[in-house]
């Protein structure tokens, strides 16, 4: 079992940056594919980015390509999301999630239902 705790959210002006962290408990963090999702008020939770267990593979939603970078440090049991050039439409609660690496490499890294463990979320607010 994996427990996930996000941090790093906050209020930032448009064009600014934030770095989100996702701290994981458990000895098997390095065996999981990991993802970030966002949920804006009144909207469905949607895929933002995903990373394989060994960081050799990453995927991004088109809306964040070139602005966000996902990374992980397995020695620290932590995943990150560096968010640059933030826009007001990035305002949302951001969740980290963990999935079987088999599901990741089967192409299901963008599917909500393919993730087994979720954090509680961290709020990101971008003002215009």
């Amino acid at each position: 079992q994996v427990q996930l705790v996000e941090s790093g959210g906050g209020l930032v002006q448009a064009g600014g940056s934030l770095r989100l962290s996702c701290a994981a408990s458990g000895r098997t963090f390095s065996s999981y594919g990991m993802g970030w999702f966002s949920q804006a008020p009144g909207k469905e939770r949607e895929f933002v980015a995903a990373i394989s267990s060994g960081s050799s593979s990453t995927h991004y939603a088109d809306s964040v390509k070139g602005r966000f970078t996902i990374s992980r440090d397995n020695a620290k049991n932590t995943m990150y999301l560096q968010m640059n050039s933030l826009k007001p439409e990035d305002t949302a609660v951001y969740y980290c999630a963990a999935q079987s690496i088999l599901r990741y490499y089967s192409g299901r890294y963008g599917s909500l239902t393919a993730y087994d463990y979720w954090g509680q979320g961290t709020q990101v607010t971008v003002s215009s």
Side-chain angles (χ1 to χ4, degrees):
Q1 185 143 357
V2 178
Q3 292 185 329
L4 304 172
V5 178
E6 302 94 335
S7 62
L11 173 63
V12 64
Q13 288 188 331
S17 298
L18 282 174
R19 188 176 83 154
L20 305 184
S21 298
C22 172
S25 66
R27 297 174 295 173
T28 59
F29 172 74
S30 60
S31 67
Y32 285 92
M34 298 294 296
W36 286 100
F37 290 78
S38 66
Q39 187 166 19
K43 294 189 176 182
E44 299 287 321
R45 193 172 299 187
E46 61 183 21
F47 171 73
V48 174
I51 188 168
S52 63
S53 55
S55 303
S56 60
S57 166
T58 58
H59 298 275
Y60 295 92
D62 287 343
S63 60
V64 306
K65 280 181 182 175
R67 299 189 299 123
F68 291 9
T69 303
I70 189 171
S71 62
R72 65 190 293 167
D73 184 338
N74 287 341
K76 295 182 178 180
N77 278 13
T78 304
M79 177 180 65
Y80 305 97
L81 185 68
Q82 179 66 44
M83 310 166 70
N84 297 331
S85 302
L86 281 161
K87 305 175 181 179
E89 51 263 44
D90 294 321
T91 294
V93 177
Y94 284 74
Y95 298 89
C96 66
Q99 70 175 173
S100 155
I101 194 59
L102 295 178
R103 288 181 185 165
Y104 180 95
Y105 281 116
S106 73
R108 297 185 64 194
Y109 48 82
S111 171
L112 289 168
T113 59
Y115 285 81
D116 302 301
Y117 305 103
W118 291 85
Q120 83 290 349
T122 186
Q123 176 70 47
V124 171
T125 303
V126 184
S127 63
S128 57

